[in-house]
Amino acid sequence: LVDDLIPDSELQASIGRLGNLGNDKDRLRTLRQLATSFTFTCAQIASLLSTCQFSTSAVSSAQLLYGRAVDKDDWEKVCDGLKWKEEKDEFTLWIGEQIRLSDTIEEETTTRIVAGQVVKGTLDQRKLDMEAAKTQQAVDNAKVLQQVAQETTLNEGVNTISLSAPKVETVVELSASTTNAQVMEAAKSPGKDREMQLSDEEFQGVFGMSKEEFKGKAGWKQKDLKKKHGLF
């Protein structure tokens, strides 16, 4: 069922009104008003047209009402409401044009859909490629960071003997990849508590804990941490 299909009562009332109108202009205006409010079957359109007895507006009225038809495949029934053969032929030609136009639109729509799917497939592949490249880049970055961390682990020192005093000093050579200037300065300083020469912020950045937390660690743990960061 079609919700806005013209009811039989309204159809009969409209046929009565159309029969009382004396010119094509008023008949066409009435049909436009009906087309605004209702849809029709092709048989109902034929009933309205046959009542009007148009002089010159029969075909244009048929085209108007057919645009609101719910059973467009039955367009030949509309011809039953047209009085003259010339009108029937003109309407039939118009229907042929509409069918060709509809086929063209459908073909173009199909082409656009197919093209859109191709483009979407290409974009999806590019997205996958980009995600794969990002993943590989992350893996490569992780490897580089791991290598740098290994290189910056300082576990070698050179013992030098001072000629002016019997005191033995340990000189730690930092890796060229080390970029923390404050740690380098502290490593070159004499004494055992070199790490305490770092500021609180620098100490936190190097050891990941405060100086108080560091002092609370066991001696062997402090020693390992200082060796790890080249401050032993």
Side-chain angles (χ1 to χ4, degrees):
L1 295 177
V2 181
D3 292 339
D4 57 353
L5 183 67
I6 188 170
D8 288 339
S9 58
E10 180 62 33
L11 177 66
Q12 296 305 319
S14 299
I15 289 174
R17 288 195 299 272
L18 288 167
N20 294 325
L21 297 176
N23 59 74
D24 286 0
K25 182 177 180 181
D26 291 338
R27 296 185 187 108
L28 192 55
R29 182 187 302 113
T30 300
L31 292 177
R32 286 198 183 101
Q33 292 172 350
L34 287 174
T36 301
S37 303
F38 302 104
T39 57
F40 314 90
T41 65
C42 288
Q44 290 174 332
I45 294 173
S47 297
L48 291 168
L49 294 174
S50 61
T51 302
C52 291
Q53 297 298 316
F54 285 105
S55 299
T56 59
S57 303
V59 176
S60 59
S61 297
Q63 294 170 349
L64 169 68
L65 296 176
Y66 180 76
R68 297 284 288 163
V70 296
D71 54 348
K72 294 186 183 296
D73 290 341
D74 292 335
W75 62 269
E76 291 180 349
K77 293 181 179 179
V78 176
C79 294
D80 295 338
L82 298 173
K83 183 177 181 180
W84 306 107
K85 181 179 182 302
E86 291 80 3
E87 295 172 344
K88 298 177 189 291
D89 291 343
E90 183 179 348
F91 181 75
T92 300
L93 287 174
W94 180 80
I95 287 293
E97 293 174 357
Q98 299 307 302
I99 293 174
R100 286 192 295 274
L101 179 60
S102 177
D103 291 343
T104 300
I105 293 174
E106 182 177 355
E107 182 179 350
E108 291 178 351
T109 301
T110 301
T111 301
R112 291 193 190 100
I113 291 174
V114 172
Q117 291 173 343
V118 172
V119 171
K120 183 178 183 298
T122 301
L123 293 177
D124 288 345
Q125 186 59 49
R126 289 181 181 176
K127 183 177 180 181
L128 290 174
D129 292 343
M130 290 176 64
E131 291 176 352
K134 289 180 180 179
T135 301
Q136 185 60 48
Q137 185 63 46
V139 172
D140 293 342
N141 290 342
K143 290 180 179 178
V144 171
L145 291 175
Q146 184 179 14
Q147 183 178 0
V148 171
Q150 292 173 348
E151 290 178 354
T152 55
T153 300
L154 304 177
N155 52 18
E156 295 181 359
V158 177
N159 293 328
T160 59
I161 301 176
S162 173
L163 297 178
S164 60
K167 184 176 180 181
V168 178
E169 296 290 343
T170 300
V171 178
V172 180
E173 295 181 354
L174 296 179
S175 169
S177 61
T178 303
T179 58
N180 194 323
Q182 289 78 10
V183 175
M184 293 176 64
E185 285 297 322
K188 295 177 182 178
S189 301
K192 294 189 294 183
D193 297 331
R194 297 169 178 171
E195 70 280 356
M196 293 303 169
Q197 298 184 29
L198 299 172
S199 67
D200 292 342
E201 292 78 6
E202 293 165 353
F203 193 95
Q204 182 71 37
V206 173
F207 291 96
M209 65 183 74
S210 65
K211 292 180 178 179
E212 289 71 17
E213 291 174 319
F214 181 82
K215 291 177 181 179
K217 300 288 183 181
W220 65 268
K221 184 65 175 178
Q222 293 182 17
K223 181 178 179 181
D224 286 347
L225 291 172
K226 289 193 288 184
K227 281 184 176 181
K228 179 178 178 180
H229 297 289
L231 292 170
F232 183 73

